[in-house]
Amino acid sequence: MKKLIHKIIREDNFLSLSGNLIIALLGFGGFALLARSLETEEFAQWVLFISGGSLVEMLRYGITNNGLVRFLSGATDQNKERFIGANVVISFCATLIIALILIAIKLLFSNVINTSSYALFFKWYPVLAFVNLPLNNALVVQQAKMKYDNILFIKALNSGLFFSFLLVNTIFLKLSILEITIVFLLINTLTSLVCIGKSWDGLLLFKKANKATLNTLLNFGKYSTFTLIGTNLLRNADILIISISPFGSTAVALFSIPLKLTEIQQIPLRSFTATAFPKMSKASLEGKTNQVKELFNVYSGAITYLFFAVSIVTFVFAKEFVMLISGTQYLDEHITGIDIVSIVKILSVYGLLLPIDRMTGIGLDSINKPNINAIKVLIMLVANIIGDLVSIYVFHSIEMVAVSTLIFTTVGIVVGAYFLNKSFKVSLVEIFKSANLFYKNLWYKSKQFRRRYPAL
């Protein structure tokens, strides 16, 4: 029995899901505490600080992230060290360039930035970029090595410390947004130091980098960077466009709450795609196209079924979710002019479309077609921006912004399936047949387990 439990908790999908579940729950709790404790303007600044930071993170790590995962899955031990060293060199150079650009923009447009909701981002993100460099490198390297227990530890430490601080702050300290940001930087610094101490970030391997590994990651990264930036923009473009629209910072604060709720839907998605990508990449490198197809079908269908259950819960209890995060302060449509509950319901439907859309992207990257995946994301991004602009300036509706999310995701599924069909046939029937077989086998194994251990 002890061996069985140990096997389960050491399984890749379980560890990946646990890591993302912890980060999501702690992030969800921290977000709720901030939404309740900060004024609307300050909360909007925090949302833009995190959203803008996430976008720049994608620019930094898009260059090497997917490439490192893909090429490490089939590399020799010597080449693995070279690839990890190349990742350190590229990520440091990218961080330096981005930080200098942001500092230059702040100096050139200081008057405008200092009076906007982006003041927090431009002032403190360049500092955060260097502070969390080892932390983020460690996450990339450990994913590439499929060391999901290490990823779980890093995420639990970083998110756990910040959530604990926010809890104490809400009850006792009542610190300002500036002081909260400084503590956030200190916690990221501590986590990075732990990663360096455990040699998880590959910092000492930077000397191993050579021209071949640098070029390999950069060639793959020139496409995957755009893909990750585009994917991040698909999540945050709504917030960024609303922030410069006539709706202003109040709408930013409001719309960020339903967006945060959609993270509940994405917990299993991030977990399972993190384990699917190395497996599909390895199969692709070995020329096993049928195995790539099989993995694609199983993961796409199985996660969609999970999302169906989660989407029903978020749709039915939309109002309760809003109250859980922010209390009742944002529920009065007569005051805000925005039906936040309707937005939550619309985005709960969006969750049903996410798995197959995300898996088409993973599939294209795994068969070494990051350029095609970049085209897919570009088409989705254009559709999203057009939809947002039409929603805001033609329909004058934040609710329609959420509807445009459903449209661009559907477009992404169609485009991704079209390109994947050139390598292997994508069929909804086969996807759900594979998922049915997966859950049937899971049910059969659970019955065997109950017969073997009837006392449990």
Side-chain angles (χ1 to χ4, degrees):
M1 182 63 183
K2 291 176 69 174
K3 288 183 178 180
L4 178 64
I5 294 173
H6 184 264
K7 182 180 178 181
I8 291 173
I9 64 175
R10 298 291 298 179
E11 202 271 330
D12 287 348
N13 284 318
F14 178 85
L15 288 169
S16 182
L17 178 59
S18 299
N20 282 301
L21 182 63
I22 288 171
I23 193 73
L25 291 176
L26 293 175
F28 185 87
F31 187 87
L33 291 172
L34 287 167
R36 290 168 176 266
S37 61
L38 295 176
E39 296 294 329
T40 302
E41 181 61 37
E42 288 186 328
F43 183 56
Q45 283 194 47
W46 179 263
V47 169
L48 292 172
F49 173 64
I50 297 300
S51 299
S54 297
L55 175 60
V56 180
E57 294 294 298
M58 293 300 101
L59 179 59
R60 287 203 292 164
Y61 295 101
I63 302 172
T64 59
N65 194 336
N66 282 4
L68 188 66
V69 173
R70 185 180 194 277
F71 294 112
L72 243 60
S73 63
T76 62
D77 289 341
Q78 188 177 30
N79 277 338
K80 283 181 180 180
E81 291 188 347
R82 290 171 179 167
F83 275 117
I84 294 171
N87 171 67
V88 173
V89 173
I90 293 171
S91 60
F92 176 79
C93 292
T95 299
L96 181 61
I97 293 169
I98 291 168
L100 290 174
I101 291 172
L102 292 177
I103 291 170
I105 292 173
K106 186 178 186 300
L107 292 174
L108 289 172
F109 304 100
S110 59
N111 291 335
V112 176
I113 290 173
N114 290 337
T115 56
S116 73
S117 296
Y118 286 92
L120 195 68
F121 169 72
F122 279 96
K123 183 175 182 179
W124 291 107
Y125 181 76
V127 179
L128 178 64
F130 285 101
V131 161
N132 69 7
L133 182 59
L135 187 164
N136 284 317
N137 272 341
L139 289 173
V140 174
V141 171
Q142 297 308 305
Q143 183 189 349
K145 291 182 174 181
M146 292 189 276
K147 299 288 187 179
Y148 299 104
D149 51 344
N150 294 344
I151 294 174
L152 174 59
F153 175 82
I154 295 168
K155 289 182 176 181
L157 176 65
N158 193 59
S159 299
L161 287 175
F162 188 57
F163 174 78
S164 299
F165 157 72
L166 288 177
L167 191 61
V168 173
N169 177 67
T170 302
I171 300 172
F172 302 109
L173 303 177
K174 314 291 184 183
L175 298 180
S176 67
I177 185 68
L178 176 59
E179 292 167 320
I180 290 172
T181 304
I182 291 173
V183 173
F184 180 69
L185 293 172
L186 291 174
I187 289 172
N188 276 267
T189 302
L190 175 61
T191 309
S192 286
L193 290 173
V194 171
C195 292
I196 293 172
K198 290 183 173 291
S199 300
W200 286 346
D201 63 329
L203 178 64
L204 298 179
L205 296 176
F206 76 95
K207 293 180 181 179
K208 300 281 187 178
N210 58 22
K211 186 176 180 180
T213 51
L214 287 168
N215 286 337
T216 299
L217 289 182
L218 288 172
N219 285 334
F220 192 95
K222 64 187 177 184
Y223 299 113
S224 62
T225 299
F226 178 82
T227 301
L228 285 173
I229 292 173
T231 301
N232 186 273
L233 277 174
L234 288 173
R235 288 201 305 265
N236 294 304
D238 298 338
I239 287 291
L240 298 176
I241 291 174
I242 291 170
S243 72
I244 59 174
S245 75
F247 287 98
S249 59
T250 300
V252 170
L254 279 164
F255 198 82
S256 67
I257 293 170
L259 282 183
K260 194 66 180 179
L261 291 172
T262 63
E263 289 191 8
I264 297 175
Q265 299 168 306
Q266 298 193 45
I267 294 170
L269 183 61
R270 287 194 299 268
S271 307
F272 293 127
T273 54
T275 58
F277 184 43
K279 292 176 183 177
M280 293 172 69
S281 295
K282 188 173 186 297
S284 175
L285 287 167
E286 294 172 353
K288 300 176 181 177
T289 305
N290 285 336
Q291 187 177 344
V292 176
K293 177 183 177 180
E294 182 182 343
L295 287 166
F296 172 82
N297 287 338
V298 170
Y299 274 92
S300 297
I303 302 171
T304 299
Y305 279 138
L306 286 176
F307 271 46
F308 183 75
V310 176
S311 292
I312 289 176
V313 174
T314 55
F315 187 93
V316 173
F317 298 101
K319 183 177 180 180
E320 287 74 15
F321 275 125
V322 174
M323 293 175 65
L324 179 64
I325 291 183
S326 60
T328 59
Q329 59 177 321
Y330 294 132
L331 281 175
D332 194 336
E333 188 179 348
H334 296 291
I335 296 175
T336 63
I338 299 170
D339 186 357
I340 191 172
V341 174
S342 292
I343 295 174
V344 173
K345 290 182 177 181
I346 294 168
L347 292 180
S348 69
V349 178
Y350 161 67
L352 292 175
L353 304 176
L354 273 174
I356 297 178
D357 170 53
R358 190 68 58 83
M359 285 303 302
T360 57
I362 292 292
L364 289 168
D365 277 346
S366 68
I367 60 176
N368 202 26
K369 291 186 178 180
N371 54 325
I372 303 298
N373 194 20
I375 292 172
K376 167 185 175 284
V377 173
L378 176 61
I379 293 171
M380 293 175 68
L381 183 58
V382 171
N384 186 31
I385 292 173
I386 292 173
D388 286 352
L389 294 175
V390 170
S391 300
I392 290 171
Y393 293 102
V394 176
F395 292 100
H396 307 288
S397 170
I398 296 296
E399 291 82 355
M400 284 299 296
V401 172
V403 173
S404 73
T405 300
L406 303 182
I407 296 171
F408 82 70
T409 308
T410 304
V411 169
I413 292 173
V414 173
V415 172
Y418 171 79
F419 286 122
L420 276 180
N421 270 326
K422 298 180 183 298
S423 297
F424 58 83
K425 184 181 178 182
V426 176
S427 166
L428 286 176
V429 174
E430 288 189 31
I431 286 173
F432 289 109
K433 276 185 178 180
S434 297
N436 290 338
L437 182 61
F438 170 80
Y439 283 112
K440 183 178 179 180
N441 290 335
L442 193 65
W443 175 251
Y444 176 73
K445 288 179 181 178
S446 69
K447 286 175 68 177
Q448 285 186 317
F449 177 80
R450 288 197 299 271
R451 288 195 192 103
R452 188 173 180 181
Y453 303 102
L456 294 180

